[in-house]
Amino acid sequence: MNGIVLGAVAYDPKVVTIWSGFRNWLLGRGLEFDFVLYSHYERQAEDLVDGRIDVAWHSPLAWLRTRRLAAAADVRVEPLVMRDTDQDLTSVVVVRSDGPVRSVADLKGETVAVGAVDSPQATLLPLRHLRERGLVAGDDFDVRRHDVGVGLHGDHVGGEREAVRALMAGEAAAACVVDSHHLLFGEEGVLAPGSTRLLSRTPPYDHCVLASGPSLDTASADRLAESLLSMSYADPEVRHLLDLEGLTRWLPGRESGYAQLAAAVDDTGFYDADGRVTAAGYRP
């Protein structure tokens, strides 16, 4: 079997530690494996579909683009594994506890703070959620974006952190963040205890997925997936790597949790039907 090459986006220095550790673990079990790093997800998605890498550790937005690019090119891509923490996430729209906003309808004519333009969890999904609740971004309320780490598809938490700071500074009537980061900002002290109140919550959705591309044969894809699925949190060799990557176990990949994001992409014209980048002003 030829060696498997994975692509991963270097959104943080820990990415090198994580995949170097996983590489050594896989090599120790007889699986030829290496990885390359990307500065943004758009090139990684293109390279996976074009066969320049065999697998990719993808954001949910990158996975949707990969699906569209692959369909247009008539090639096969598959979800292999995802973290246990990638399934059934929610994003929240929060307001100040001492503020006047009591319902989603109260946001009409106000400003809503969001993350980066390409953040599924802090921009695309919550704005789609508000649309379903009757308020259209740009028509019924203004959007204040915080474009930190554009191209990283929201992996950089900075945009969400700036969104809640804008809320607390009175620059916005609401802020959109993934639920776990809302809790994190309280632990960090960015949000004082009891300073915010949940206004609305999105339905559950799925996040990152490790996807295979057309250059990887089925047997090799199965072997990689089986190897990752066999990782145990009880194994001290990988426990610290799993902690860094934010999971306790790998799960089989699934496609059932991306319908909301696909609708949000279509609402905004972020990608076209063939996976071309069509979002206005988006430059990773």
Side-chain angles (χ1 to χ4, degrees):
M1 181 183 67
N2 295 325
I4 297 172
V5 178
L6 172 138
V9 169
Y11 69 91
D12 187 277
K14 71 179 181 180
V15 172
V16 176
T17 301
I18 292 166
W19 285 106
S20 293
F22 285 164
R23 176 179 182 270
N24 290 336
W25 188 88
L26 291 166
L27 289 173
R29 281 146 186 82
L31 185 62
E32 291 297 321
F33 179 88
D34 207 347
F35 67 94
V36 294
L37 298 179
Y38 288 83
S39 61
H40 59 80
Y41 279 106
E42 307 309 337
R43 178 167 291 174
Q44 179 171 289
E46 293 164 3
D47 281 3
L48 180 66
V49 172
D50 291 343
R52 287 185 284 271
I53 55 175
D54 303 311
V55 290
W57 184 219
H58 263 347
S59 75
L61 191 59
W63 168 241
L64 287 184
R65 186 180 185 214
T66 293
R67 263 293 183 215
R68 296 183 184 201
L69 289 170
D74 194 24
V75 298
R76 182 184 178 89
V77 292
E78 296 290 341
L80 294 184
V81 297
M82 59 203 319
R83 301 170 299 186
D84 52 354
T85 49
D86 282 315
Q87 296 186 352
D88 300 321
L89 282 70
T90 61
S91 291
V92 293
V93 183
V94 298
V95 297
R96 288 178 59 135
S97 297
D98 60 0
V101 176
R102 297 295 165 185
S103 69
V104 168
D106 292 337
L107 293 177
K108 189 165 186 177
E110 300 288 350
T111 297
V112 175
V114 300
V117 61
D118 57 343
S119 172
Q121 63 267 16
T123 303
L124 295 168
L125 284 163
L127 292 183
R128 167 69 183 181
H129 175 63
L130 291 176
R131 183 186 186 97
E132 291 178 326
R133 298 290 300 274
L135 295 182
V136 178
D139 293 339
D140 297 309
F141 61 91
D142 292 329
V143 175
R144 175 170 291 197
R145 283 203 332 247
H146 296 85
D147 284 336
V148 179
V150 173
L152 303 181
H153 291 186
D155 283 353
H156 194 296
V157 70
E160 291 176 68
R161 189 178 285 111
E162 291 305 310
V164 298
R165 284 176 172 154
L167 170 65
M168 300 315 297
E171 299 167 0
C176 301
V177 296
V178 69
D179 191 18
S180 59
H181 288 165
H182 184 224
L183 298 174
L184 172 66
F185 298 148
E187 295 170 358
E188 290 179 343
V190 175
L191 293 174
S195 62
T196 58
R197 179 171 48 81
L198 175 66
L199 185 69
S200 193
R201 181 187 299 274
T202 69
Y205 58 85
D206 285 356
H207 208 256
C208 297
V209 63
L210 194 148
S212 64
S215 63
L216 192 65
D217 63 88
T218 300
S220 299
D222 288 346
R223 187 175 178 197
L224 175 61
E226 289 166 2
S227 297
L228 293 172
L229 291 169
S230 74
M231 280 186 175
S232 171
Y233 194 72
D235 180 355
E237 185 180 354
V238 294
R239 184 184 304 129
H240 72 291
L241 300 173
L242 298 177
D243 284 339
L244 285 174
E245 189 53 69
L247 72 154
T248 57
R249 64 187 177 117
W250 294 101
L251 297 175
R254 67 183 190 184
E255 296 193 73
S256 58
Y258 299 103
Q260 291 179 71
L261 184 57
V265 166
D266 291 336
D267 284 346
T268 59
F270 201 93
Y271 301 131
D272 70 10
D274 291 334
R276 289 183 288 263
V277 178
T278 49
Y282 174 54
R283 294 293 182 271

